[in-house]
Amino acid sequence: MNIYLEIPDVDKHFPYRSLLCNGDTLCYPHWHKEIEIIYVTKGSLNLGINDTPIHMEQGEVQFINGGDVHYFLSSPESERVVIQFDLNLFQEVAALNGNDYSLREVFTLMEYSSSRWPVATAAKVKGLIESIYEEDVQRREGYVFLIKARLFELLTVILREVPKSPIKKQPKFSEDTLNQSRETLERLERIFIYVEQHYQEAITLNEVANYMGFSPYYFTKLFKKNTGMTFIAFLNEYR
C-alpha cells in the first residue's frame, strides 16, 4: 500500500501550518485528517482528489477535506499557498454553534472550488488566506492570535456564504466504489514512481503501459481520465 498517511508538523496546542510550494515536483497520493486549502498564486496547477483530476488557474482556491486522498502533478512555473489545520482548533466554540451538524459536516458539505462561489465570497476568502499566510511569514508579536481570528472568520464565511455542493448530499460511496478509487490511485503512484526513476531515459508510452501490464490504449485512457493530461504531456512537464 503506497498511498501514505501524512502527519503535518503542527503544534498540538495550535494545530495549523502554512507553506509556499512551487509546482516543479510531483507529490504522491496521500491523505491526512487535517483540512487543506490550496490557493494558486502563480501559473496553473494540476492535482487530483480521490482520483478526480482538477485543473486550477491563478487566483483560484480549492479545499481538500480531511481523509481525502490527493496528489499534485508537476506544474512548472506555478506557485501555491497551502494552509492546513485540524478541526480541534475550533473545539472550544464548536458546541456554541447551536446547529445539529458538526464542523466536519460543514467542510464535507461545502462546495470545495472557488470557481463555483459568488465572486465577492471568493475575494473575501482569498483576502483571509493572504492575511493568514502573511502573518505566519512575518510572525510579529501576537501573530498566533490574529491567525486564529482569521481562521474563525474564514469558518464564518464558509457557513454563511460558501454554497453547499448538491453532489455531497447524495448517498455515500459504496465500499466497491471506494476500493476502485483506491486501486486507481495506487496505479497512478506506480506510474509516478516509474517516471521519477526513468525520466532521464528515452521513455515511451508503450514501455510504461507494458510495465503496468496494460495495453497502450487502456493505459492512455486511464492516465488521461485521472490526470486530465496525456502521458507524454505529463512526462515533458516533469522533465
Side-chain angles (χ1 to χ4, degrees):
M1 181 72 66
N2 288 321
I3 297 174
Y4 65 92
L5 167 64
E6 179 185 84
I7 303 178
D9 184 16
V10 297
D11 189 314
K12 65 179 181 179
H13 300 296
F14 186 57
Y16 150 90
R17 73 169 179 171
S18 70
L19 52 154
L20 186 67
C21 302
N22 63 47
D24 292 342
T25 58
L26 62 84
C27 179
Y28 293 148
H30 65 284
W31 67 277
H32 43 73
K33 65 185 181 69
E34 291 76 13
I35 303 294
E36 182 164 328
I37 306 173
I38 306 297
Y39 174 38
V40 180
T41 55
K42 178 183 177 183
S44 60
L45 177 65
N46 293 296
L47 67 152
I49 302 177
N50 294 332
D51 80 7
T52 299
I54 295 172
H55 179 79
M56 296 178 65
E57 293 291 346
Q58 182 173 325
E60 291 187 342
V61 175
Q62 178 76 34
F63 277 71
I64 302 174
N65 201 8
D68 282 350
V69 179
H70 52 287
Y71 60 88
F72 296 89
L73 299 179
S74 176
S75 302
E77 300 183 5
S78 71
E79 193 173 75
R80 63 186 182 270
V81 169
V82 178
I83 292 176
Q84 297 173 331
F85 59 88
D86 194 297
L87 289 181
N88 288 335
L89 192 71
F90 306 106
Q91 66 181 5
E92 68 268 31
V93 297
L96 303 177
N97 188 41
N99 293 316
D100 294 331
Y101 50 81
S102 66
L103 287 181
R104 176 63 66 184
E105 289 175 305
V106 171
F107 287 99
T108 299
L109 295 175
M110 69 176 287
E111 173 55 66
Y112 293 152
S113 173
S114 65
S115 64
R116 300 186 183 95
W117 302 348
V119 174
T121 300
K124 193 177 296 185
V125 171
K126 286 187 282 187
L128 288 169
I129 293 172
E130 290 167 356
S131 175
I132 289 169
Y133 180 70
E134 181 182 359
E135 285 294 329
D136 202 13
V137 170
Q138 297 182 359
R139 300 206 165 193
R140 295 171 292 181
E141 187 175 6
Y143 79 96
V144 172
F145 303 123
L146 189 51
I147 287 176
K148 194 166 187 178
R150 293 286 186 263
L151 287 170
F152 272 96
E153 188 175 351
L154 177 63
L155 174 59
T156 304
V157 173
I158 293 170
L159 281 167
R160 294 180 177 178
E161 301 183 29
V162 171
K164 291 180 172 59
S165 172
I167 298 176
K168 311 287 177 53
K169 297 177 183 177
Q170 296 176 357
K172 293 183 178 180
F173 292 123
S174 67
E175 192 66 28
D176 288 343
T177 301
L178 290 173
N179 288 337
Q180 185 177 4
S181 295
R182 203 167 183 81
E183 182 181 353
T184 300
L185 289 164
E186 290 172 0
R187 288 173 174 175
L188 287 174
E189 204 224 8
R190 283 185 63 203
I191 297 168
F192 294 163
I193 291 175
Y194 186 89
V195 170
E196 185 178 48
Q197 294 174 342
H198 300 280
Y199 74 94
Q200 294 180 323
E201 304 169 14
I203 302 175
T204 67
L205 185 148
N206 285 351
E207 287 173 346
V208 183
N210 184 62
Y211 165 77
M212 294 296 296
F214 301 144
S215 70
Y217 172 79
Y218 180 82
F219 175 81
T220 299
K221 186 177 179 180
L222 172 77
F223 195 87
K224 179 67 182 294
K225 176 184 176 182
N226 291 286
T227 65
M229 64 173 65
T230 66
F231 174 74
I232 298 303
F234 164 75
L235 179 61
N236 290 336
E237 286 198 3
Y238 184 83
R239 285 169 169 165

